[in-house]
Amino acid sequence: MPEAPSSRRRNVRFLATVTLVVAALAVALYVAVVALRGGEPASAPAADGVSCTAPPLPPSAFPTFTAAPDASVAAGSSWIADVRSTCGDLTFRLDGRRAPRSVASFVTLARAGYWTDSVCHRLTTDPAPTAFLQCGDPSGRSTAEPGYDLPLENVPADRTYRVGDVGLARGDGFPGTAGEFFVVHRDFTVPAGAPVYSLIGRVTSGQEVVQHIAGLGGEDFRSDGPPFTSISVLSVGVHAG
């Protein structure tokens, strides 16, 4: 005998309730796991082969200087920077000819261990006007400075920054913030009147790490703020190249 309409409705409501309960339990379990892991999802290799480990605590102290390094440190040549991060390694080629003072600063800070266990604290994505992952903050709060500022160098004539470009970040009221650097994950053009940035080089390997972080987006869906997946720089080594 066919099931009565009222009985079918009760069954549908029962199944819907069970589904909602199961979904709620799954969400609760996920939140608990994330909390136990310090606020980050469990690390697992992504489709792009990138996986991340939990970042270390920021250092309690970092080197500071009384003056910017002399441009002669860069020796007007190219340099190789080997960047180890909690999500994989990157390699930069730095242009000491076009950005001698900026590259001299980068080389000096790397040799001093300024970026050891430092945080990549900022990711800009759509609809922000820029598109980069910003790293090099040993304070963990974007308040650290090495003790000097730098003038702008090697700014693109067309004000366009391209995927894989490495540049120096800028602080409010400063021409160039020497301590923090960024890697571009999507081409963008700076509009007239907006701040431009010094270019110091290009990524030669490991760009997939930056694309992976950018693809996961910003914390709380922000287009300019901490990345959803935390990433820190473990160390930076440099040598002439």
Side-chain angles (χ1 to χ4, degrees):
M1 188 171 183
E3 189 178 14
S6 60
S7 177
R8 285 199 299 272
R9 284 195 294 271
R10 284 195 298 271
N11 288 339
V12 169
R13 286 196 297 270
F14 174 77
L15 290 174
T17 301
V18 170
T19 300
L20 289 173
V21 170
V22 170
L25 288 173
V27 170
L29 179 61
Y30 175 80
V31 170
V33 170
V34 168
L36 288 172
R37 301 184 72 91
E40 291 297 326
S43 176
D48 52 20
V50 175
S51 61
C52 299
T53 58
L57 292 175
S60 58
F62 52 88
T64 57
F65 303 80
T66 57
D70 191 88
S72 62
V73 173
S77 62
S78 63
W79 289 77
I80 303 299
D82 298 309
V83 181
R84 292 180 55 245
S85 84
T86 52
C87 294
D89 298 340
L90 300 95
T91 302
F92 304 159
R93 181 175 292 278
L94 308 177
D95 193 340
R97 298 181 185 88
R98 295 185 177 181
R101 295 191 64 179
S102 299
V103 172
S105 172
F106 192 100
V107 169
T108 299
L109 294 180
R111 286 174 170 171
Y114 181 84
W115 292 304
T116 300
D117 296 342
S118 61
V119 177
C120 295
H121 63 284
R122 184 186 183 198
L123 175 70
T124 63
T125 58
D126 288 334
T130 58
F132 53 65
L133 176 66
Q134 185 170 327
C135 299
D137 172 30
S139 73
R141 302 179 301 277
S142 191
T143 59
E145 287 294 339
Y148 58 85
D149 195 35
L150 293 171
L152 288 170
E153 289 184 304
N154 195 30
V155 175
D158 61 0
R159 305 172 69 90
T160 297
Y161 297 79
R162 294 171 172 82
V163 172
D165 279 347
V166 180
L168 294 187
R170 297 183 64 178
D172 294 338
F174 294 97
T177 302
E180 296 178 14
F181 58 92
F182 63 79
V183 178
V184 177
H185 62 78
R186 173 178 49 79
D187 293 1
F188 67 90
T189 300
V190 175
V196 290
Y197 309 92
S198 297
L199 280 183
I200 62 173
R202 293 275 303 168
V203 174
T204 58
S205 68
Q207 180 69 28
E208 66 275 6
V209 172
V210 178
Q211 300 305 126
H212 175 79
I213 297 300
L216 295 173
E219 187 177 72
D220 300 331
F221 304 104
R222 276 178 278 182
S223 59
D224 190 343
F228 175 75
T229 297
S230 297
I231 175 173
S232 288
V233 171
L234 300 173
S235 65
V236 180
V238 289
H239 61 273

